[in-house]
């Protein structure tokens, strides 16, 4: 019999929708997918070159398991310059993607029976990682009219004696919500008062629009900094999802424990990918700027088109590359011969009838909405929305 741990988790639903769409594509069906959670841009050339150079120079062996010094220094410098965070390289851990950093943090902080507050809608892996650690995810619904952002009173209402940590994600996947400094201060106040750790997932920080500003919660003061594990990575900012480099910054005691855990579970991240990531963090930013400009144009287009469809309402998100429209206005309708009773039946109808893949909100603990990723070309976005409009 499989372990309780293994039986207690479900596979990533975003990846399984994508798998179904990929399978249809393999059968020759022309599927347009809004399902993917990665930039459609190529990794910038100068970053690729750094990875290739590392291989040519024979930099292909184990590295220190916490990460190479030049990458940890580049991360420390980035955190200082961009996030107003002062961490020594010894307070930084390089992992195999931000997802791995998150898992290290959760395994390091969460004991059996500890509660971890997860605001919904949430990224799919948070609850499963908490469960794997033996913890109890306490899902706290936000309000759509508050832009899906957790408020002080919602947080206070969820705190118990067993609360160990809060997982915060700004800019948010799937909603695109970006917390302001004031909103984060309110949350930090509650966490300080109760001694709650904050695991702050900031992987979308560079994908931000309308002049919104990303604020790292750990930068708000020494007390909240002590309680925070800041998580970030190169995947989303530099179109480097396949290189698998993420990192965490926190108090030395936490990082050392996370590093010890990682040293036994996986050892270091790939040597050449660490070198490429040094280049990503220290090199020119023009590729990122161009990517953000393109994402912003796509966002505006997709939000306007969705809002023009009867029964669909979409907020204009300030960050990441997702739109998360409410589709409850379509319940009870018949789409392509299928009765729409919830977000899942609509997503299935759209895939089967319109040949368009989207992710049902229930995957993010939020039935009633659909997640559209706009990390796909404007041409495909137009064609996909035309198809949806036609079947609706
Ligand atoms: C993509 C994503 C990650 C994981 O990024 P990797 O660095 O590729 O592991 C983490 N958090 C959120 C919210 C994401 O969307």
């Amino acid at each position: 019999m499989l372990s309780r741990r293994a039986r207690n988790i479900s596979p990533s639903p975003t990846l399984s929708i994508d798998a179904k769409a990929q399978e249809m594509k393999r059968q020759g069906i022309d599927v347009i997918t809004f399902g993917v959670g990665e930039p459609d841009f190529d990794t910038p050339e100068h970053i690729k070159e750094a990875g290739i150079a590392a291989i040519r120079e024979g930099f292909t062996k184990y590295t220190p398991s916490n990460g190479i010094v030049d990458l940890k220094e580049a991360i420390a410098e980035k955190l200082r310059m961009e996030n107003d965070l002062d961490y020594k390289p010894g307070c930084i851990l390089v992992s195999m993607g931000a997802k791995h950093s998150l898992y290290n943090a959760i395994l390091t902080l969460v004991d059996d029976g500890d509660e971890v507050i997860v605001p919904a809608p949430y990224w799919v892996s948070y609850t499963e990682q908490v469960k794997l650690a033996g913890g109890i995810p306490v899902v706290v619904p936000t309000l759509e009219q508050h832009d899906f952002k957790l408020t002080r009173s919602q947080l206070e209402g969820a705190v118990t004696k067993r609360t160990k940590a809060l997982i915060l994600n700004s800019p948010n996947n799937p909603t695109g919500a970006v917390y302001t400094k004031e909103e984060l201060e309110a949350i930090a106040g509650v966490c300080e008062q109760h001694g709650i750790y904050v695991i702050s997932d900031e992987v979308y920080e560079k994908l931000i629009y309308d002049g919104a500003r990303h604020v790292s919660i750990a930068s708000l003061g020494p007390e909240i900094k002590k309680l925070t594990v800041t998580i970030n990575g190169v995947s989303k900012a530099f179109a480097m999802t396949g290189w698998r480099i993420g990192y965490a910054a926190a108090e030395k005691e936490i990082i050392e424990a996370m590093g010890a855990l990682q040293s036994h579970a996986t050892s270091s991240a790939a040597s050449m990918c660490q070198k490429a990531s040094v280049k990503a963090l220290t090199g020119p930013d023009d590729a990122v700027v161009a990517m953000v400009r393109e994402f912003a144009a796509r966002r505006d287009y997709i939000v306007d088109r969705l809002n023009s469809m009867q029964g669909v309402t979409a907020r204009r998100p300030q960050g990441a590359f997702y739109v998360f429209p409410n589709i409850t206005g379509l319940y009870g309708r018949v789409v392509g011969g299928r009765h729409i009773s919830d977000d899942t039946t609509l997503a299935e109808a759209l895939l089967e009838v319109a040949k368009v893949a989207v992710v049902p909100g229930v995957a993010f603990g939020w039935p009633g909405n659909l997640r559209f990723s706009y990390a796909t070309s404007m041409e495909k976005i137009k064609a996909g929305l035309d198809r949806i409009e036609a079947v609706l």
Side-chain angles (χ1 to χ4, degrees):
M1 165 120 70
L2 297 179
S3 70
R4 210 172 332 126
R5 190 168 279 120
R7 281 180 280 135
N8 198 18
I9 57 162
S10 22
S12 169
T14 47
L15 295 179
S16 75
I17 296 263
D18 203 44
K20 193 166 173 187
Q22 293 300 335
E23 181 51 36
M24 287 170 73
K25 277 189 186 166
R26 248 192 305 281
Q27 292 166 14
I29 302 167
D30 165 34
V31 178
I32 294 178
T33 180
F34 291 99
V36 289
E38 62 182 349
D40 53 313
F41 302 95
D42 198 6
T43 304
E45 211 55 40
H46 66 284
I47 299 174
K48 287 192 202 168
E49 287 302 334
I52 293 165
I55 294 173
R56 292 243 154 82
E57 286 156 18
F59 195 75
T60 54
K61 304 288 172 65
Y62 289 136
T63 77
S65 79
N66 279 16
I68 57 176
V69 174
D70 40 347
L71 179 53
K72 290 196 285 181
E73 279 172 353
I75 293 166
E77 181 63 9
K78 176 253 179 263
L79 292 172
R80 197 167 14 253
M81 299 297 292
E82 297 180 358
N83 306 95
D84 198 17
L85 287 173
D86 186 13
Y87 284 106
K88 303 226 163 4
C91 295
I92 289 164
L93 171 69
V94 176
S95 308
M96 270 133 276
K99 189 183 269 195
H100 185 211
S101 290
L102 280 162
Y103 192 41
N104 283 329
I106 289 169
L107 283 175
T108 298
L109 295 176
V110 177
D111 270 320
D112 281 341
D114 281 351
E115 294 177 358
V116 178
I117 295 174
V118 181
Y122 52 77
W123 186 53
V124 294
S125 293
Y126 298 147
T127 50
E128 303 313 296
Q129 291 194 349
V130 169
K131 286 195 270 172
L132 281 167
I136 301 164
V138 176
V139 173
V140 179
T142 58
L143 288 174
E144 189 157 358
Q145 59 268 35
H146 285 171
D147 258 333
F148 302 104
K149 290 189 267 194
L150 183 73
T151 63
R152 178 203 294 266
S153 60
Q154 286 167 338
L155 177 57
E156 273 168 347
V159 172
T160 73
K161 281 203 190 67
R162 308 229 57 173
T163 305
K164 189 69 184 281
L166 161 71
I167 303 182
L168 202 63
N169 176 212
S170 176
N172 183 275
N173 175 6
T175 68
V178 178
Y179 284 73
T180 64
K181 182 161 181 252
E182 291 67 32
E183 288 161 346
L184 292 173
E185 278 167 349
I187 286 170
V190 178
C191 293
E192 287 172 356
Q193 189 188 337
H194 298 278
I196 299 168
Y197 286 103
V198 181
I199 298 171
S200 181
D201 179 349
E202 306 182 9
V203 298
Y204 290 103
E205 66 164 346
K206 288 194 188 283
L207 307 182
I208 205 159
Y209 318 108
D210 304 334
R213 201 167 76 82
H214 171 76
V215 176
S216 291
I217 191 165
S219 71
L220 297 177
E223 221 180 313
I224 191 66
K225 184 169 178 246
K226 282 205 182 85
L227 290 168
T228 303
V229 183
T230 302
I231 307 280
N232 210 326
V234 297
S235 284
K236 307 291 161 58
F238 303 101
M240 290 178 71
T241 45
W243 298 75
R244 308 308 307 129
I245 298 291
Y247 55 87
E251 286 292 284
K252 201 165 192 237
E253 184 196 11
I254 299 173
I255 287 296
E256 283 181 353
M258 288 171 64
L261 177 75
Q262 176 167 303
S263 75
H264 293 296
T266 55
S267 299
S268 74
S271 53
M272 62 293 286
C273 299
Q274 292 189 63
K275 283 288 187 195
S277 299
V278 172
K279 196 54 143 189
L281 292 175
T282 57
D285 240 7
D286 12 334
V288 181
V289 172
M291 189 163 75
V292 170
R293 195 178 314 121
E294 175 62 23
F295 276 143
R298 294 176 187 176
R299 176 201 63 157
D300 286 339
Y301 178 80
I302 194 167
V303 166
D304 292 343
R305 284 286 305 269
L306 287 169
N307 279 323
S308 75
M309 297 179 195
Q310 209 193 344
V312 182
T313 53
R315 306 182 78 77
R316 197 175 303 270
Q318 286 189 302
F321 42 61
Y322 309 101
V323 180
F324 197 62
N326 183 312
I327 47 81
T328 53
L330 296 170
Y331 287 8
R333 294 255 302 266
V334 173
V335 173
R338 283 169 142 273
H339 180 76
I340 302 307
S341 55
D342 56 25
D343 53 315
T344 304
T345 49
L346 180 59
E348 282 168 4
L350 292 179
L351 185 56
E352 281 157 28
V353 186
K355 311 283 184 268
V356 172
V358 296
V359 185
V362 69
F364 311 98
W366 201 271
N369 290 51
L370 295 178
R371 191 191 75 174
F372 285 69
S373 161
Y374 49 90
T376 186
S377 70
M378 195 62 139
E379 205 185 346
K380 291 234 172 78
I381 290 171
K382 281 184 179 154
L385 291 168
D386 287 346
R387 288 185 189 184
I388 292 173
E389 206 165 51
V391 300
L392 290 185

